[in-house]
Amino acid sequence: MSKQAYSFKICFCFKRIFKLREAEPPGDVKRLFEDYSKDGIMTIDDLLRFMVEFQKETDATKEDALAIFYSLRHLNIFQGKGLHLHAFFRYLLGDLNPPVPPSSKVHHSMSAPLSHYFMFTGHNSYLTGNQLSSDSSSAPIIKALKNNVRVIELDLWPNAGKDRVEVCHGGTLTSPVDLAKCLQAARDYAFVASDYPVVLTFEDHLTPFLQSKVAELVTKTFGAMLHRPETGPMAEFPSPDSLKRKILISTKPPKEYLEFQKSMEEENELDQEEQSAQQEQDENEGNVFPEYRHLISIHAGKPKGGVEGYLRIDPTRVRRLSLSEQELDSISGTYGPDIVRFSQRNLLRIYPKGLRFDSSNYNPFLGWAHGAQMVAVNMQGYGKFLWIMQGMFRGNGGCGYIRKPDLLMNPVDIFDPRKTLPPKTILKVTVYLGEGWHLDFRKTHFDKFSPPDFYARVGIAGVAADSIMKRTSAIEDEWIPSWNEEFEFQITVPELAVLRIEVLEYDTTGSPDFGGQTCLPVSELREGIRAVPLHSRKGERYRSVKLLMRFQFIPC
C-alpha cells in the first residue's frame, strides 16, 4: 500500500471514530409524545398527565412538572407554551427521571429494632487493597462512610511495645494504622451521608490494660455521639430512628467478664434461687474492667453447644453472631429456617472466607436470604457482588439501612431459603438506547480505528430461582447504540432481588471491554421510561453515560 493510500485509510478510520449522530427518540417515545401532546406541543398539564398515567408517579404535582419544564428551557421550547418532541426526549434521558426514587428520600419505617434491617456493612474496613500485604489507613473508612456504609470493622492489636493499640490484619504483612486515626475518621465522617447510626465492630486481640486504653480513647473521641447502654445486655435492640447520629460499639465482652457468664443452656436450667446468685456474681465480677465493658452496645460471641447452641434464642437478651460465608453455607442446608428465626431478634454478621486474599467477595444473597443484617463485603476492589451490594443499598434513599421484607420477619410461618416459591411478579425490561460514552471515554478507548460495538446485559440477582442474565445483540460501529430489545423476568422474591445492568464492547480478539454497569433494587424500580446512569467498575457514576429503559411490572 502506498504512503498516500495508507494516510487516506487512517484518515477515513478516524472520521468513522469521530462520526456522531444525535440520539433519535425510539418509536415508543414518539408514540407517547403524540398521545400526550396537541399539535406537536406538550403543555405542563400534558406532562403532568403523562407522569401520573404512564410513569405511575401518582404523587406527582404541577410543581414537579414545572421543575422539569424549566430544566429544559435552554432548548427551543415553543415560547414557553410547552415541550416539543426533542425536549420531551431529553427529559426522559435526564437526571430528573431516575429509575429509583431520588436520593435522600427515606421511606421505610425506621422505628423497628435494628434486627429488622439490612445494614450496609464493610469487612476489614481499614485495608487499602489485598488482605495480605496492603496498607492499613483511615482513608478507606472515610470513603466507606461517604458512601453510606453503616458498619465499619476494625481489628485491634497491640503494637510492638504493647503500650498502644494498632489496627491491622493480624498475622499478615499489612501495615498498621493507629487506632486514634480510625476513630477520628469515624467521628468526622459518620454522618456526612446519612444520619442513621454507625456500628463499629471491634475484632479484639488486646490485653486488659490496652482494653482500658481503648475505653478511654473511644470515650474521649466520640463523647456524646457514643451510645452507651444503660444496663447490661439488651432484651431488644433500639431502632435506627432512636439512634440517629449515634455510634455503637460491637464486640465480645472482656474475657474476664465472660468467664463468669454461664452458657445459655445452663442458665435456662437454673432455679430461681440459683439465678439470683448467678446475677449477683455477674454484677460483682463483671466490674473487673467496667470502662471497656460499658462501651459495648451490641454484645458479640458464640455460646457453647455447637450450631444448636449459638442459634438458640434467649428471650431476655439479644446479641450478635458472626459466621464466615463457609460456615453459613455449611449449616444453611440443615438449619435454614433456624437461622432465619434467630435473625428475627438477633443480629447475624456474615464475613468473607479467609482465602479471599485478593479482597474478592461472595454472593450477598446467601446472607440476605437467611435474614443476616450485616453481610460484610470487601470494598477495596470491585466486581459483581460488590456492585450488587451497592445496588441493594441504593434503596430507601441510600441511607444505609433497608427494612427486611415481611417474609423474613414472620414469627409463625418461618421462611425456608431452600424452598422455591411460585412467581410473584413479572418484570418486563425494554432496553432502548445508550449515550454518553464519547464524552466520558477517549475516542480510541474501545477501538483504535472504528466506533465501538456495544451490547447490553440485563438480568436479576436474587435467590437462586430468580438469578439470570440475558443480553442484547451487539450494535456495530455506534457511539449511540439503539437496541430496542425487550426482556421478561419471572421473580419469586422481588423484595430480595436486584436488577443488574452491564454494557460491554464486543471484541473478537479477546474478552469484552467494559462500558459501564449499575444495579438497582427491584422493589424500588419506578415503572415507565427512565434514564439509567451507569457506573465504573469501582462504582463511581459516569458523568454522561446512561441508558434509556422501560420497566413494567405484571402480577402473576
Side-chain angles (χ1 to χ4, degrees):
M1 181 184 297
S2 68
K3 185 175 181 181
Q4 183 178 7
Y6 180 77
S7 299
F8 175 81
K9 183 177 181 180
I10 293 295
C11 181
F12 176 76
C13 289
F14 270 93
K15 282 183 179 180
R16 291 183 65 212
I17 295 174
F18 285 93
K19 177 187 174 184
L20 284 173
R21 58 173 178 80
E22 285 196 7
E24 288 289 327
D28 285 357
V29 172
K30 292 178 180 179
R31 285 187 288 271
L32 283 169
F33 183 78
E34 292 175 2
D35 292 342
Y36 285 91
S37 65
K38 298 173 185 176
D39 299 325
I41 299 176
M42 179 180 282
T43 67
I44 291 174
D45 289 336
D46 294 333
L47 177 59
L48 178 59
R49 187 164 59 92
F50 167 78
M51 294 168 68
V52 172
E53 293 178 0
F54 187 84
Q55 302 286 75
K56 310 296 184 186
E57 297 176 34
T58 54
D59 58 347
T61 65
K62 194 166 185 175
E63 287 69 27
D64 297 325
L66 278 168
I68 294 169
F69 184 83
Y70 286 119
S71 73
L72 300 165
R73 63 183 181 272
H74 62 286
L75 300 176
N76 183 24
I77 300 176
F78 292 120
Q79 297 178 348
K81 295 179 180 179
L83 308 178
H84 50 52
L85 173 61
H86 179 64
F88 175 66
F89 179 45
R90 296 323 301 178
Y91 143 64
L92 290 176
L93 262 172
D95 291 338
L96 294 181
N97 187 35
V100 296
S103 61
S104 78
K105 289 191 176 181
V106 174
H107 54 90
H108 294 180
S109 170
M110 304 297 282
S111 59
L114 287 177
S115 57
H116 290 229
Y117 300 86
F118 296 132
M119 305 159 70
F120 202 173
T121 302
H123 174 252
N124 288 352
S125 305
Y126 49 88
L127 287 181
T128 59
N130 68 65
Q131 303 287 309
L132 295 179
S133 60
S134 64
D135 292 334
S136 300
S137 169
S138 61
I141 298 171
I142 294 171
K143 181 179 179 181
L145 292 170
K146 284 183 174 181
N147 289 328
N148 281 332
V149 173
R150 298 290 88 189
V151 183
I152 299 294
E153 182 189 23
L154 303 177
D155 288 355
L156 310 186
W157 291 86
N159 69 338
K162 308 293 184 183
D163 59 349
R164 199 175 71 251
V165 179
E166 294 178 335
V167 175
C168 66
H169 195 196
T172 70
L173 298 177
T174 57
S175 67
V177 59
D178 193 71
L179 173 62
K181 291 184 178 180
C182 297
L183 297 181
Q184 289 163 10
R187 177 196 64 198
D188 295 342
Y189 291 90
F191 307 112
V192 168
S194 172
D195 281 345
Y196 288 98
V198 167
V199 179
L200 300 184
T201 62
F202 289 166
E203 189 70 30
D204 180 354
H205 305 275
L206 303 177
T207 63
F209 167 71
L210 288 178
Q211 287 175 344
S212 65
K213 291 183 73 80
V214 169
E216 181 182 355
L217 183 59
V218 167
T219 302
K220 180 180 178 181
T221 302
F222 296 133
M225 297 170 69
L226 185 66
H227 175 73
R228 290 175 178 268
E230 295 180 1
T231 58
M234 297 174 283
E236 183 180 69
F237 289 115
S239 70
D241 261 344
S242 70
L243 294 170
K244 277 187 173 181
R245 302 191 70 82
K246 290 291 185 180
I247 292 176
L248 289 74
I249 305 298
S250 178
T251 188
K252 295 178 182 179
K255 182 178 179 182
E256 288 75 10
Y257 177 63
L258 286 177
E259 286 176 349
F260 300 106
Q261 301 296 306
K262 296 290 185 182
S263 64
M264 285 188 294
E265 59 265 34
E266 291 175 332
E267 285 183 7
N268 292 334
E269 294 174 359
L270 294 174
D271 60 26
Q272 191 65 41
E273 183 178 348
E274 288 174 318
Q275 287 184 16
S276 298
Q278 179 67 45
Q279 182 178 4
E280 182 179 355
Q281 184 180 28
D282 285 350
E283 291 174 353
N284 291 336
E285 303 291 356
N287 287 323
V288 175
F289 295 102
E291 300 89 353
Y292 187 74
R293 182 168 62 87
H294 290 165
L295 292 178
I296 305 171
S297 294
I298 301 173
H299 286 225
K302 279 185 183 178
K304 298 177 181 178
V307 178
E308 290 87 354
Y310 56 73
L311 290 179
R312 187 165 297 168
I313 297 171
D314 185 343
T316 67
R317 63 179 69 182
V318 289
R319 59 190 169 89
R320 172 173 68 85
L321 172 68
S322 288
L323 299 174
S324 70
E325 59 171 294
Q326 290 168 307
E327 288 178 288
L328 178 60
D329 190 43
S330 173
I331 69 173
S332 60
T334 305
Y335 296 96
D338 298 292
I339 301 169
V340 173
R341 182 184 290 107
F342 174 85
S343 65
Q344 290 178 345
R345 269 182 50 78
N346 300 280
L347 296 181
L348 177 60
R349 175 178 173 269
I350 310 300
Y351 59 93
K353 62 184 179 183
L355 293 178
R356 294 190 180 276
F357 303 132
D358 60 351
S359 293
S360 61
N361 284 304
Y362 55 101
N363 187 345
F365 287 99
L366 175 66
W368 288 334
H370 289 84
Q373 297 86 353
M374 299 179 177
V375 178
V377 297
N378 294 308
M379 303 202 179
Q380 302 90 339
Y382 52 81
K384 70 176 182 179
F385 293 137
L386 180 55
W387 299 341
I388 290 169
M389 176 72 70
Q390 292 166 341
M392 176 67 86
F393 285 98
R394 289 192 175 104
N396 198 25
C399 73
Y401 284 80
I402 301 290
R403 184 79 180 257
K404 289 163 64 172
D406 292 341
L407 85 166
L408 288 173
M409 298 306 300
N410 190 325
V412 178
D413 185 13
I414 302 295
F415 177 67
D416 187 346
R418 298 168 297 182
K419 292 185 178 179
T420 300
L421 301 177
K424 190 172 182 180
T425 189
I426 295 173
L427 172 61
K428 186 182 291 186
V429 177
T430 305
V431 187
Y432 290 117
L433 56 83
E435 69 170 16
W437 287 280
H438 70 288
L439 298 173
D440 292 347
F441 290 82
R442 299 188 317 274
K443 301 300 182 292
T444 57
H445 177 86
F446 298 103
D447 285 308
K448 287 186 177 181
F449 302 118
S450 66
D453 307 325
F454 287 126
Y455 65 93
R457 298 180 72 237
V458 182
I460 300 296
V463 298
D466 296 339
S467 299
I468 188 173
M469 290 295 288
K470 301 180 181 182
R471 59 159 288 178
T472 69
S473 57
I475 304 299
E476 294 184 0
D477 296 340
E478 282 290 350
W479 281 103
I480 303 177
S482 181
W483 296 286
N484 291 302
E485 295 190 36
E486 182 179 281
F487 305 95
E488 287 190 1
F489 304 97
Q490 287 191 342
I491 307 177
T492 64
V493 189
E495 305 94 330
L496 289 178
V498 168
L499 178 68
R500 284 190 60 208
I501 302 165
E502 284 184 276
V503 173
L504 301 170
E505 201 271 335
Y506 182 74
D507 190 342
T508 58
T509 62
S511 59
D513 293 322
F514 178 81
Q517 62 81 26
T518 194
C519 291
L520 302 166
V522 167
S523 62
E524 299 212 11
L525 278 178
R526 303 204 299 174
E527 290 196 88
I529 297 176
R530 303 293 175 181
V532 180
L534 296 189
H535 299 73
S536 71
R537 282 191 174 97
K538 294 183 178 180
E540 298 166 349
R541 177 175 168 172
Y542 292 128
R543 289 176 300 172
S544 309
V545 178
K546 61 186 66 171
L547 304 182
L548 187 69
M549 304 179 70
R550 182 181 179 184
F551 307 114
Q552 298 167 270
F553 286 102
I554 304 170
C556 290

